[in-house]
Amino acid sequence: MNNETILPPTILTHRRTAYRPVTTEGDGELTASKFSGRPWLKADESWPTCPNCNTAQQLFVQLNLASLPPAEQTRLGDHGLLQLFYCTSSDPLCEVQCEAYFPFARSVMARRIDDPSAPANTAAQGPAEPLAARRIEGWEAIDDDVPGWEELYQMGDQLSPEEEEALDKAERPATGDKLGGWPAWVQGVEYPSCPQCDARMELVLQIDSEDNLPYMFGDMGAGHLTCCPNHPDVLTFAWACY
Ligand SMILES: [Zn+2]
Ligand SMILES: [Zn+2]
């Protein structure tokens, strides 16, 4: 049996390449791309804390833009770091108190570091129980990532029942952790808007429950790190679950 699913040409017009992180156990260098581990911090900066509970946030991900696939560098920049910090405190339960599933929550920080060659703080005190780190050693292309049916409908496409079935069978958009491509929305299309220009923010990284990061978003939800196309410094993270 041939398990390759041919997507209809109408859907393939929206094709984008997404990239799965290829990871290994353990932390990498300070400026490496990684899930959890030690983040690059400015020399005079302490480990970021959550304003709701005043304890250190977890580093969820750090991306070194210089090591991304060239097509993603064109989109996101070719130098510097993107970092996502998230409070996982259970007492108080900051995720709920701060509604961390919505974009721009207080207990979450997403930011861009322009110059990681500047002096760094390599000894900052992080969370008491850091999540297990995985360093990202490369990226594996998914050549045929396409939007989900809901997003296709929003873009004005009309799908036949056969086309919907093909999309479903192909398991597109791809779930799991991935850079770029199309978001696999859990609760419908939810792109955040930039607070500065109202533009639709674009997918940087999809972070799925218990993939590379040993963390569960609600009941097996998925999160999306997004960036404003006009304001490279405006980044945010939001997630949804079933
Ligand atoms: Zn907190
Ligand atoms: Zn903007």
Side-chain angles (χ1 to χ4, degrees), residues 194 196-197 199 228 230-231:
C194 172
Q196 293 183 36
C197 72
C228 173
N230 307 317
H231 296 100

Side-chain angles (χ1 to χ4, degrees), residues 27-225:
D27 200 353
E29 285 174 35
L30 202 58
T31 57
S33 293
K34 54 177 102 172
F35 291 94
S36 196
R38 178 169 286 280
W40 185 92
L41 300 170
K42 273 178 284 191
D44 60 353
E45 180 185 27
S46 50
W47 193 292
T49 55
C50 166
N52 194 55
C53 69
N54 297 312
T55 61
Q57 292 169 314
Q58 298 276 353
L59 175 71
F60 265 13
V61 73
Q62 171 172 284
L63 295 176
N64 186 322
L65 297 173
S67 68
L68 299 190
E72 291 299 294
Q73 291 179 333
T74 306
R75 219 165 59 84
L76 301 170
D78 60 5
H79 69 280
L81 308 173
L82 303 185
Q83 295 178 331
L84 172 63
F85 292 90
Y86 190 103
C87 181
T88 57
S89 159
S90 53
D91 183 22
L93 189 52
C94 293
E95 186 169 77
V96 171
Q97 288 185 2
C98 300
E99 300 185 316
Y101 26 85
F102 290 137
F104 303 105
R106 289 169 69 226
S107 60
V108 181
M109 177 177 67
R111 67 177 182 178
R112 181 182 293 262
I113 305 284
D114 284 321
D115 183 15
S117 66
N121 179 354
T122 58
Q125 188 72 43
E129 293 176 39
L131 299 175
R134 293 192 74 84
R135 61 178 174 274
I136 301 174
E137 305 215 306
W139 300 94
E140 199 172 75
I142 305 167
D143 290 325
D144 62 345
D145 209 26
V146 293
W149 61 267
E150 205 174 353
E151 195 159 353
L152 286 166
Y153 276 115
Q154 283 192 7
M155 292 189 289
D157 282 27
Q158 304 288 331
L159 300 190
S160 67
E162 292 76 24
E163 286 173 327
E164 274 195 33
E165 202 191 319
L167 197 59
D168 203 42
K169 265 174 112 171
E171 294 175 2
R172 293 289 180 267
T175 56
D177 296 342
K178 67 179 181 187
L179 177 72
W182 292 92
W185 300 112
V186 179
Q187 291 281 0
V189 181
E190 295 181 300
Y191 289 102
S193 297
C194 172
Q196 293 183 36
C197 72
D198 214 33
R200 193 178 86 163
M201 294 178 65
E202 292 175 352
L203 177 63
V204 176
L205 187 76
Q206 174 169 289
I207 305 178
D208 216 336
S209 284
E210 307 283 352
D211 190 354
N212 284 287
L213 192 72
Y215 190 74
M216 172 109 78
F217 298 103
D219 182 10
M220 288 306 278
H224 296 99
L225 176 66

